[in-house]
Every structure is written in structure tokens, then in C-alpha cells.
């Protein structure tokens, strides 16, 4: 069961201190120069940094492609089962050093580029982030793609190639502004356009029914057709052995230019259809963007689902020649409800196009599909007006109705006469003006429905899917999220990685369970010193970034307190900033006390239409302005809001964090993955018992995490009693004074009413329990202050956090999906101790 690298692996990471191979170095240099001349068309003398980046990326890509084609041929020859991961979001970030690292070529490329007079680090920064996602859900898809390649699971990720990713955030006078994210403007060296892989995706029109051999045949006559064109990006697994494709679809019109119209002088009209088609892949909708472009969003969902299913069906038919065995060769994972239309589209393909009997088709569909739920918030569960469906996807609506008939009959059988039960499980919400429920559709059409942390999966059974779970028992299961250690440890924190190689042995790179070796060393003063040196180095780098971007000087010796994630009320950045205000006021009251110096670091985007979240950003920045410039507190408190949070910024902040803020209202965060990244890099967590925080506590031990606040059930109870918080505010002088200061304009002297709405909501509409949890949070923070001052104990807890995180590797998560849901083999045996499942959680420590 050893996971020690096979010596035949092409990618050998040079052991610490080992020089790079001279032959390989010469070969890489000449490959880069070759690309510069022949693919970019430039000489070394005239090349820009960007040209060098592209040449290096292309030289690397060549090396990846060989492995890719080999892997592809092997799985085809072996007739292996394939996994298809459908996701409207892939938050990839940069690929250059990620691919270099996984190919084991980081050191040799660095040396080759150095010889050519360019710095790898400079080139790395030329690559724009591929920000095709909002946050955790999209980043999970990216980590999963990397882990599936690492575990040699033949897989394809399907999504949309948005021309513009999530907006670029600029902070102007403290306010968020949104600008288009032009990530493709310099081209994209990673992707291969596949002009021959084109599918037609239809919309609108009507359905004709004809009698055929004792059955009814539906023929959809669509009104509009869009073409989907494939773009493939290779995703390399660790040590370069296996490569999978991320296939993103771009939309275009089959009839891009009407020449006759053009010739009449109507230039815009001539390309109107092209514009309409292309709007589908124009940009990624931010979460929480409610009314805007709803119809376009549904078009996006159907567009990528239809193209992806056509593609996988074609591949299956070419290898197997039939669809009857689809489920034995194909597993389709739906990442949230956005690809729920896969249920109806697969039924349409099987019944309408391949003439399967309905019942047989249904068995195949359910056995093939599985669905991951990411939220319990009712407002975030997608529904679409029936009327819109009728107009855009008339045949799919018929299919939904037919599924619903059988489904409701089953419900009636299960709970005879129970009208409420039937209404609750129905695919159609009859109360809300007749809407199609995508969560219900995905649930009914899947053999597996999983939540993303133990608590979330439990709550799913008790809340949103309570009745569906009763009707289809055994389908709900848990797969606690994970993160890829290659990106979030090795790449983001090379200094810590080197220390871990030294302390745990080289095999730690392949088998994270080796981090256990740290346990015995956690109190060792030599190791502690080295560990602190690494953290300090990372904090200097972040302090420099804060200085450059915000012109705020922070002391790398201070406690770096980090909250980085989408800005949302349930994530409670507001709780953090109210506590910051209270701390500031306490410091001013008693400036002589030995206050622990802190830097509060925030980053995150608010959906453009989410006004309250944008006001919270402004509040953070206004508080920063006052606090950072108040000489009375002697620089012991600083607040920094870093703009444009994305994967690359996360890679700089996370290795420098001392404290990780995971303070969502209990019951509202499905899992979180930022919490895992930060703990893996040695930050202590201050958090609520929510999402994966609970499992993190179980693993790192209750003494190495600071838990505070209400639990999910307390929140339910308190909300029932009302949202008025005047009672708790009256009992808490710290809180009361902080809210008064915010509400009366102490932080917005030029516009004293600016934050009145926030103060009002805190007092009377405390839905997110900011006030109800405040005292407990404030106290936990002061506990952190006390712990910080005992350096060896703090370092020990920090080391133990790292040592006890291996279970949170996305390799472990993917092994569980492979074993429990997809039924596909994975490379290697699970290293000892990493296959424990949620059922055993709590048994640890
Ligand atoms: C990990 C990650 C997230 C998710 O963070 P949470 O704290 O789990 O919400 C969001 N955005 C980026 C860029 C990430 O890397």
C-alpha cells in the first residue's frame, strides 16, 4: 500500500538541494527558444515578458500533451468507465506553475528561464487568473479536476468558456466597483480549440407528437439553434502520470453573418443572430444576482448541459455501440442544481432520439446521474417559471411533467392522501406562481445526492430534502469537501513544504498522512523556530503587498487575522468588523495595556446587485481609514481590505495567516474550503460549529481551535422567538458602544447617516445573529490574544493544525466519490488513515 513514488515516474521532484539535470536543462532552454521563434514569431532580443510567458507555457504544454494522449488511449483501449463532472463554474486560477509543479519541471524551468535572463516569478504573474467561478463551489470543481487526474480517473470536466469571468473588483473611495474581467485578451496558451467538435443546441419552438409502433413519438421543432464549440484545457495530475481534459463550450451562431442583410447596409442587423448566440457565453453571473438576465442564465444552463451530454453520448456510442449499458461506463456528477437539466436532456436523448421505452430510459438516467447539493438556503435553490420553460424548452417541460406523474404516484403510494407531502416533493411549485424546482428535479433523477460536510448532509435530511429522503431513502450521503494540497500547500507555501519534506521525509509529497510525523515534533523548539521563520517570511511578503496596494504599513510581527471569502451576510464579515470597532474603542480607553498587535485582513467580492454586502465593504474600508490613522493606538490595530479576491491573491494571503475567521451563522455554511486551506497552512481557526469547521475541530482537537457562538439548533430556536436584538445589546456595553459609533457616523464623518441602515438592522433585524453571537465572539478573540502571547504553545497548536489536516485532501474526497458514487477504480491504495468517513468522525481525539 505504499504511495512512495514509482521510480519510473517521469516527474521526479529533485530532492532538497539536488541540482537540476544538465541535459534536461539544455533541452528545456532550446524548447522555449523554439516556441518563442516559431509560435510567437519573436527573437529573444525583442520578446516582452508576456512573449516569454507564452513561449514557456507552450513548451510545457507540449510535454503535457504527450502524457495526455497516452492517458486518453489507455483508458479508451481498456474500455474504462469515465466520470463527467458538470459544473457551471471552474475557479482555476493560474495554471503555469501548477502544471510545472505537477510535471516535476518547476526547478528545471526556473533554471532554464534564469539562463535565458527571465525570472520564473515574473512570468508567473503574466498569466491572468481563470476566474470562471464565484467562490467555493467553483474552486471545489478545480480541486476535484486536479485530484481526479492525480488518481488517474478518466474524467472530463464540462463547463462554459465565459469570455469574461467573474468581475474584476476595484475599491474606489472604499466602495466596490465592478469591471469586466478580460482574461482572454492576450490569448490563452493552455487551451486547444476543437473546431471539429461542434454540437447544435436548440431553443424554443413546439413539439409534435406522432403515433409510432404502439408508442408516442415526440418531435421537437425548435425555433432557434446555437452551436457549441469545444475548447480543451489539459489538467495534469500530480507527477504528470495522468492528464484529463477540462472541456469548455463557447457559443456561436450557425449563421454568423447574413450577407443579404449586410449588403443592404444594415451592418448591425446582419450579425444580430451572432450577437444573440454569443451572449450565452459572454459572462459568468455572480451568485445572488437575482432578477438580472434570468432567461440568459437558463439558456446558459441548457446550452452547456446539452452540448456535454451530446458529446459524452457520442463518445460512448463510438466505443460501445449502444446506450443500454451507459451507466456501467459513464458517471455524470452534477455540481449543484445548475446542470439539473441533464435529467431531462438525457431522457430526451434516450426516448426521443434513441427510442428507448420510458421506463428503461428512466432506469438508465437515474443510474448514470448523481447530484451534489451545495446550499440549504431556500432562496438559493433554483426555480424557474413554468412559463419561461414552456417558451424556451417546451419538450423538456413535457418530460418534467411526465417524470412528475410517476413521481407523485409514488408519493401517493408512500403517504396516501397526504396532500402536503405531495406538494413538497413535486417538481413543480404550485404555490409560487408555478415554478420548476431544479433541486427536486436533480434529486429525483439521481441515484446519489450528496452534501458537502457531515453537518450539511445531516441537515439536508432534516430540512430541504426531508420529504424526498422519506420517499427515496438511502440516496442521500455525505462527501466532505477537500482541497488539493499541491496547490494550497506545495505551490502556495514552498517554504513550509520544504520544512515538511525535511521533517516528514520526501514521501510527504505523495502521501499527506506522513504529516503525522509532525505530532512528535510539535513541541520541539528547533522545529518550532523553523516553523515560525517560514511563517514570518510569508508574512513579510504579505505585508509588502499590503504596503504596495493600500499604502498601509503593517508589522509582520503582529497577529495576522484573516477573513477572505465572498462578502455575504451569512459569512458575517459584519461580526468581524463590529468586533474590530469594539477592540479599537477598548484600546483607546486603555492605551497603556499590552494589547496584542493585530492586522485584520479582509478580501472578497460582493455580488454587484447585493447592496447591503457592498455597504459592508464600505464600512470595513471606512473603519480602516480611521483606525489605521489614529496615533492613539500606536499602530497596534490595522485593517486592510485587499481588492479583487481571487485564487492568486488567496495563494499569497493564506500562507501568511495566523488566524482564520470561519464565523458563519451556524447552519448556513454548507462546508467551506477556505477553512481547510488556512488550517493546512498553520492558521488557528476561530469559528462557529458550522459546515466543515466541525470536522476540522474533530481532527485538530478542540484545544487547537477556538469555537464560539450559537449552534445550528440554537439559531433556529432564537429566530422563532424573533429577530430583535435590543435585549442582547443592552446587556453588552462593548457591542452597544460599537453599534452606536457605526450608526452615528463616527466612521463616516462626511456622511453621518451612511451606516444607519446597518445599525438599524443590527438592533432590530438580527437574522444572522451578529448581535446574538457578539459577546461569545469577543471573548473568543480575547482568548486568542492570550494564547498568542505564549509563543511555544501557539506554535505547537499551529503545527498540530498542519499535522492533522491530511484527511482534508481532495484526494480523499475523490476516493470516496469514486468508491461510493461513481464505482470507478483509482490509482494506488489509500494511504493509512485517510479513508475514514464521516460516520467515524468524532471518534478522533
Ligand atoms: C477557497 C476559495 C473560496 C472559498 O472560500 P470559503 O471561505 O470556503 O467561502 C472562495 N474563493 C477563492 C478564490 C478560493 O480560493
Amino acid at each position: 500500500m505504499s504511495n512512495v513514488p514509482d521510480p519510473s515516474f517521469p516527474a521526479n521532484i529533485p530532492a532538497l538541494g539536488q541540482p537540476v539535470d544538465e541535459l534536461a536543462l539544455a533541452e528545456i532552454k532550446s524548447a522555449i527558444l523554439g516556441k518563442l521563434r516559431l509560435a510567437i514569431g519573436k527573437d529573444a532580443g525583442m520578446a516582452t515578458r508576456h512573449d516569454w510567458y507564452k513561449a514557456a507555457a507552450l513548451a510545457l504544454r507540449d510535454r503535457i500533451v504527450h502524457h495526455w494522449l497516452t492517458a486518453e488511449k489507455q483508458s479508451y483501449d481498456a474500455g474504462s468507465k469515465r466520470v463527467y463532472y458538470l459544473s457551471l463554474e471552474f475557479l482555476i486560477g493560474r495554471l503555469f506553475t501548477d502544471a510545472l509543479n505537477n510535471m516535476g519541471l518547476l526547478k528545471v524551468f526556473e533554471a532554464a528561464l534564469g539562463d535565458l535572463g527571465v525570472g520564473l516569478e515574473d512570468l508567473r504573474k503574466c498569466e491572468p487568473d481563470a476566474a470562471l467561478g464565484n467562490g467555493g463551489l467553483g474552486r471545489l470543481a478545480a480541486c476535484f479536476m486536479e485530484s481526479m487526474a492525480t488518481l488517474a480517473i478518466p474524467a472530463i470536466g464540462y463547463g462554459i468558456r465565459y469570455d469574461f469571468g467573474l468581475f474584476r473588483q476595484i475599491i474606489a473611495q472604499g466602495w466596490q466597483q465592478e469591471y469586466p474581467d478580460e482574461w482572454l485578451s492576450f490569448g490563452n496558451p493552455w487551451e486547444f480549440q476543437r473546431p471539429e467538435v461542434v454540437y447544435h443546441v436548440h431553443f424554443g419552438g413546439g413539439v409534435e407528437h406522432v403515433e409510432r409502433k404502439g408508442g408516442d413519438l415526440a418531435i421537437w421543432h425548435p425555433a432557434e439553434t446555437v452551436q457549441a464549440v469545444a475548447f480543451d484545457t489539459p489538467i495534469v495530475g500530480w507527477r504528470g502520470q495522468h492528464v484529463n481534459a477540462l472541456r469548455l463550450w463557447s457559443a456561436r451562431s450557425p449563421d454568423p453573418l447574413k450577407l443579404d442583410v449586410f449588403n443592404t447596409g444594415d451592418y448591425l442587423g446582419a450579425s444580430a443572430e451572432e450577437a444573440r448566440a454569443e451572449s450565452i457565453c459572454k459572462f459568468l453571473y455572480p451568485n445572488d444576482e437575482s432578477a438580472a438576465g434570468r432567461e440568459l442564465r437558463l439558456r446558459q444552463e441548457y446550452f452547456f448541459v446539452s452540448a456535454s451530454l451530446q458529446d459524452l453520448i457520442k463518445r460512448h456510442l463510438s466505443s460501445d455501440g449502444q446506450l443500454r449499458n451507459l451507466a456501467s461506463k459513464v458517471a455524470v456528477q452534477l455540481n449543484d442544481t445548475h446542470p439539473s437539466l441533464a435529467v431531462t436532456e438525457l431522457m430526451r436523448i434516450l426516448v426521443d432520439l434513441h427510442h428507448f421505452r420510458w421506463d428503461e430510459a428512466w432506469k438508465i438516467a437515474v443510474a448514470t446521474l448523481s447530484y451534489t447539493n451545495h446550499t440549504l438556503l431556500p432562496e438559493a435553490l433554483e426555480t424557474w417559471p413554468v412559463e419561461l420553460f414552456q417558451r424556451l424548452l417546451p419538450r423538456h417541460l413535457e418530460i418534467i411533467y411526465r417524470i412528475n406523474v410517476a413521481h407523485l404516484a409514488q408519493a401517493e403510494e408512500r403517504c396516501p392522501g397526504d396532500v402536503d407531502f405531495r406538494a413538497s416533493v413535486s417538481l413543480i411549485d404550485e404555490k409560487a406562481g408555478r415554478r420548476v424546482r431544479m433541486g427536486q428535479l436533480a434529486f429525483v433523477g439521481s441515484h446519489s445526492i450528496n452534501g458537502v460536510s457531515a453537518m450539511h448532509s445531516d441537515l439536508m435530511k432534516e430540512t430541504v430534502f426531508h420529504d424526498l429522503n422519506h420517499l427515496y431513502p438511502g440516496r442521500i450521503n455525505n462527501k466532505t469537501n477537500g482541497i488539493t494540497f499541491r496547490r494550497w500547500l506545495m505551490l502556495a507555501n514552498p517554504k513550509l513544504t520544504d520544512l515538511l519534506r525535511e521533517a516528514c521525509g520526501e514521501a510527504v509529497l505523495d502521501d499527506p498522512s506522513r504529516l503525522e510525523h509532525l505530532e512528535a515534533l510539535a513541541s520541539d523548539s528547533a522545529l518550532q523556530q523553523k516553523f515560525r521563520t517560514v511563517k514570518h517570511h510569508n508574512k513579510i511578503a504579505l505585508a509588502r503587498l499590503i504596503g504596495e496596494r493600500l499604502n498601509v504599513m503593517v508589522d509582520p510581527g503582529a497577529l495576522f487575522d484573516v477573513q477572505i471569502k465572498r462578502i455575504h451576510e451569512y459569512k458575517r464579515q459584519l461580526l468581524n468588523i463590529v468586533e474590530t470597532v469594539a477592540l479599537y474603542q477598548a484600546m483607546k480607553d486603555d492605551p497603556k495595556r499590552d494589547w496584542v498587535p493585530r492586522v485584520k485582513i479582509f478580501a472578497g467580492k460582493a455580488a454587484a446587485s447585493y447592496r447591503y454586502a457592498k455597504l459592508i465593504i464600505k464600512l470595513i474600508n471606512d473603519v480602516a481609514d480611521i483606525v489605521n490613522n489614529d496615533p492613539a493606538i500606536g499602530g497596534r490595530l490595522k485593517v486592510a481590505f485587499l481588492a479583487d479576491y481571487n485564487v492568486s491573491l488567496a495563494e499569497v494571503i493564506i500562507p501568511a495567516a495566523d488566524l482564520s475567521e470561519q464565523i458563519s451563522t451556524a447552519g448556513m455554511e454548507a462546508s467551506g474550503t477556505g477553512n481547510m486551506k488556512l488550517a493546512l497552512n498553520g492558521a488557528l481557526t476561530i469559528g462557529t460549529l458550522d459546515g466543515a469547521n466541525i470536522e476540522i475541530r474533530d481532527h485538530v482537537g478542540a484545544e487547537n481551535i477556538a469555537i464560539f457562538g450559537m449552534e445550528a439548533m440554537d439559531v433556529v430556536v432564537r429566530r422563532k422567538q424573533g429577530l430583535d436584538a435590543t435585549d442582547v445589546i443592552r446587556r453588552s456595553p462593548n457591542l452597544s458602544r460599537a453599534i452606536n459609533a457605526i450608526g452615528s457616523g463616527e466612521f463616516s464623518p462626511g456622511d453621518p447617516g451612511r451606516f444607519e441602515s446597518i445599525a438599524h438592522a443590527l438592533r432590530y433585524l438580527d437574522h444572522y445573529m451578529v448581535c446574538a453571537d457578539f459577546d461569545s465572539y469577543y471573548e473568543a478573540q480575547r482568548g486568542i490574544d492570550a494564547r498568542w502571547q505564549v509563543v511555544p504553545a501557539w506554535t505547537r497548536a499551529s503545527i498540530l493544525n498542519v499535522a492533522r489536516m491530511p484527511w482534508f485532501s481532495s484526494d480523499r474526497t475523490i476516493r470516496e466519490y469514486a468508491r461510493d458514487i461513481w464505482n470507478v477504480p483509482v490509482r494506488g491504495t489509500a494511504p493509512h488513515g485517510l479513508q475514514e468517513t464521516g460516520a467515524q468522525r468524532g471518534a478522533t481525539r
Side-chain angles (χ1 to χ4, degrees), residues 91 135-136 139 488 564-565 571 645-647 650 662 669 672-675 677:
L91 192 49
R139 184 54 231 175
W488 295 111
I564 48 175
K565 48 185 77 241
K571 291 179 182 279
Y645 183 51
N646 60 15
V647 172
Q662 307 301 335
E669 186 74 271
T673 48
N675 46 5
K677 298 167 195 168

Side-chain angles (χ1 to χ4, degrees), residues 23 170 392 439 446 636 734 786 818 825:
L23 265 178
I170 285 181
L392 223 53
S446 298
R636 286 172 296 182
N734 283 328

Side-chain angles (χ1 to χ4, degrees), residues 357-371:
R357 282 189 304 105
W358 179 272
D359 293 343
E360 191 182 2
W362 183 245
K363 283 203 183 89
I364 295 172
V366 172
T368 304
L369 301 172
S370 45
Y371 153 56

Side-chain angles (χ1 to χ4, degrees), residues 684-723:
L684 264 61
T685 302
I686 182 166
T688 47
L689 286 178
D690 200 17
N693 293 353
I694 298 175
E695 286 148 281
I696 292 176
R697 179 200 60 179
D698 292 345
H699 280 85
V700 305
E703 66 286 7
N704 298 310
I705 187 170
I707 298 291
F708 72 92
M710 299 162 79
E711 296 190 30
M713 282 311 137
D714 307 333
V715 172
V716 173
V717 170
R718 187 171 162 93
R719 274 186 189 153
K720 282 208 184 102
Q721 294 163 353
L723 301 178

Side-chain angles (χ1 to χ4, degrees), residues 785-801:
D785 285 342
R787 291 181 76 153
W788 176 255
Q789 284 166 312
V790 190
V791 175
W794 179 279
T795 311
R796 180 184 148 82
S798 171
I799 292 172
L800 287 176
N801 265 269

Side-chain angles (χ1 to χ4, degrees), residues 539-599:
K539 289 170 74 174
I540 289 173
L542 179 55
R544 189 174 306 133
L545 186 86
I546 292 172
E548 285 166 7
R549 294 213 184 156
L550 302 174
N551 199 26
V552 172
M553 296 308 131
V554 302
D555 171 12
L559 189 163
F560 279 18
D561 173 346
V562 166
Q563 188 171 23
I564 48 175
K565 48 185 77 241
R566 282 183 304 116
I567 309 293
H568 200 290
E569 285 162 278
Y570 87 79
K571 291 179 182 279
R572 297 201 294 191
Q573 282 88 0
L574 189 54
L575 176 58
N576 190 348
I577 199 66
V578 173
E579 190 269 339
T580 306
V581 169
L583 176 60
Y584 168 63
Q585 291 171 326
M587 283 181 169
K588 284 184 68 116
D589 281 352
D590 187 3
K592 296 238 154 54
R593 221 164 97 184
D594 62 336
W595 295 102
V596 168
R598 266 199 202 230
V599 185

